[in-house]
């Protein structure tokens, strides 16, 4: 039994750089042991982006209309992971697999606006193919507001239902998983649980990357100060 899996993670300014380095394989030290570097050349972008930070900051600068400063912990980007299980992808041709991810990006644009979707990268160098995509939660009237797009648990369930309905038209073998609200019990598919564990590992990696960057900046400042003295 295979499911159309979609997971959302909110990102702020502190972890966007680390997210980019992880998704685009810009670092040699990966905490995720499933990454096979010999297969990383198979990864590809469905929406090209040379810098998440630059693209996100430019969109916000051009379109943000609220007359107050953006909070440091504000959600600037929502990272969305699309996948299914390994058995599902093994039955697809390479062309069908790409269509699966292209339709996922299409869904993202339909739900959150084409201007807001800033990157989309497919990973083929791990156990199961999956797509990392990201959108800015920017409303038409120029506000950064995640809840305007996904309002609580009910909003997330509605979004997941609509994603399944779109994908099952092309991939009828997919099943619709029962959510916790319907079953009144916490149920997570094995594959989704594994993805959650990977995301936790990725979060730790992002934190370490940002910590290292801050320490490097501090060393540079101290060195400059010593030269002045």
């Amino acid at each position: 039994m295979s499911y159309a899996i979609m997971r959302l993670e909110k990102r702020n300014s502190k972890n966007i750089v680390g997210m980019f380095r992880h998704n685009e394989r810009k670092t040699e030290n990966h905490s995720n042991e499933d990454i096979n570097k010999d297969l990383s050349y198979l990864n590809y972008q469905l929406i090209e982006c040379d810098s998440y930070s630059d693209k996100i900051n430019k969109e916000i600068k051009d379109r943000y209309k609220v007359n107050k400063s953006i909070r440091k912990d504000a959600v600037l980007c929502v990272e969305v992971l699309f996948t299914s299980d390994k058995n599902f992808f093994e039955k697809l041709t390479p062309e069908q697999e790409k269509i699966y991810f292209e339709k996922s990006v299409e869904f993202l644009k339909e739900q959150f606006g084409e201007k807001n979707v800033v990157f989309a990268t497919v990973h083929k160098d791990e156990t199961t193919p999956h797509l990392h995509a990201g959108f800015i939660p920017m409303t038409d009237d120029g506000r950064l507001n995640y809840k305007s797009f996904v309002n609580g648990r009910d909003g997330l369930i509605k979004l997941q239902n609509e994603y399944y309905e779109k994908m099952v038209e092309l991939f009828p073998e997919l099943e619709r998983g029962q959510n916790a609200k319907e079953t009144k019990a916490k149920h997570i598919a094995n594959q989704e649980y594994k993805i959650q564990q990977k995301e936790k590992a990725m979060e730790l990696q992002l934190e370490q990357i940002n910590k290292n960057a801050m320490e490097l900046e501090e060393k540079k400042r101290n060195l400059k100060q010593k030269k002045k003295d």
Side-chain angles (χ1 to χ4, degrees), residues 203-227:
E203 283 293 332
L204 291 174
Q205 182 189 31
L206 294 178
E207 289 176 5
Q208 187 60 49
I209 289 171
N210 288 323
K211 181 180 178 181
N212 292 343
M214 291 175 66
E215 290 176 349
L216 181 60
E217 287 299 319
E218 182 65 24
K219 288 180 181 179
K220 288 181 179 178
R221 284 195 294 269
N222 291 338
L223 184 60
K224 288 181 179 179
Q225 187 61 42
K226 287 181 180 179
K227 289 181 178 180

Side-chain angles (χ1 to χ4, degrees), residues 87-203:
N87 184 56
F88 169 76
F89 285 113
E90 286 179 343
K91 295 177 182 178
L92 301 183
T93 66
E95 292 77 18
Q96 289 172 326
E97 179 189 290
K98 188 174 183 180
I99 289 172
Y100 183 91
F101 293 126
E102 287 174 338
K103 287 298 177 182
S104 297
V105 172
E106 185 178 290
F107 174 80
L108 208 61
K109 291 179 179 179
E110 291 168 352
Q111 293 289 328
F112 304 109
E114 186 168 356
K115 285 184 178 180
N116 286 338
V117 182
V118 290
F119 68 85
T121 296
V122 175
H123 284 169
K124 300 270 292 177
D125 58 357
E126 297 182 54
T127 305
T128 304
H130 56 276
L131 166 71
H132 289 274
F135 71 90
I136 305 168
M138 180 79 76
T139 62
D140 289 339
D141 59 354
R143 293 177 295 116
L144 278 172
N145 193 323
Y146 173 75
K147 288 185 178 180
S148 293
F149 297 95
V150 185
N151 191 2
R153 185 172 181 79
D154 288 342
L156 184 58
I157 290 172
K158 179 176 180 291
L159 186 68
Q160 291 172 331
N161 288 344
E162 291 174 351
Y163 176 59
Y164 164 76
E165 289 167 4
K166 181 179 182 68
M167 301 306 287
V168 79
E169 290 181 2
L170 287 175
F171 303 94
E173 64 270 36
L174 289 171
E175 297 283 346
R176 179 189 179 281
Q178 287 185 308
N179 56 58
K181 184 178 180 181
E182 295 169 328
T183 62
K184 296 182 180 179
K186 187 175 181 181
H187 172 74
I188 303 176
N190 289 336
Q191 182 65 23
E192 189 170 359
Y193 175 77
K194 185 178 180 182
I195 290 168
Q196 285 183 337
Q197 298 305 108
K198 287 183 179 181
E199 288 176 344
K200 288 179 181 178
M202 187 174 71
E203 283 293 332

Side-chain angles (χ1 to χ4, degrees), residues 22-153:
H22 171 80
N23 289 350
E24 303 306 327
R25 303 303 192 237
K26 299 295 185 181
T27 178
E28 292 297 321
N29 299 315
H30 298 289
S31 60
N32 186 349
E33 296 179 356
D34 285 341
I35 295 175
N36 183 345
K37 295 179 182 179
D38 293 337
L39 298 178
S40 293
Y41 74 95
L42 295 173
N43 298 344
Y44 60 92
Q45 293 183 335
L46 289 175
I47 297 178
E48 293 188 11
C49 184
D50 295 329
S51 168
Y52 294 176
S53 293
D54 289 350
K55 196 168 184 179
I56 289 168
N57 290 336
K58 183 179 186 306
E59 286 295 322
I60 292 174
K61 180 180 178 181
D62 292 346
R63 297 166 51 206
Y64 185 70
K65 303 299 182 185
V66 179
N67 190 25
K68 66 177 182 179
S69 299
I70 298 172
R71 298 196 324 269
K72 291 183 179 180
D73 63 345
V75 178
L76 304 183
C77 177
V78 181
E79 185 175 17
V80 189
L81 184 141
F82 295 101
T83 189
S84 186
D85 58 76
K86 186 177 180 182
N87 184 56
F88 169 76
F89 285 113
E90 286 179 343
K91 295 177 182 178
L92 301 183
T93 66
E95 292 77 18
Q96 289 172 326
E97 179 189 290
K98 188 174 183 180
I99 289 172
Y100 183 91
F101 293 126
E102 287 174 338
K103 287 298 177 182
S104 297
V105 172
E106 185 178 290
F107 174 80
L108 208 61
K109 291 179 179 179
E110 291 168 352
Q111 293 289 328
F112 304 109
E114 186 168 356
K115 285 184 178 180
N116 286 338
V117 182
V118 290
F119 68 85
T121 296
V122 175
H123 284 169
K124 300 270 292 177
D125 58 357
E126 297 182 54
T127 305
T128 304
H130 56 276
L131 166 71
H132 289 274
F135 71 90
I136 305 168
M138 180 79 76
T139 62
D140 289 339
D141 59 354
R143 293 177 295 116
L144 278 172
N145 193 323
Y146 173 75
K147 288 185 178 180
S148 293
F149 297 95
V150 185
N151 191 2
R153 185 172 181 79

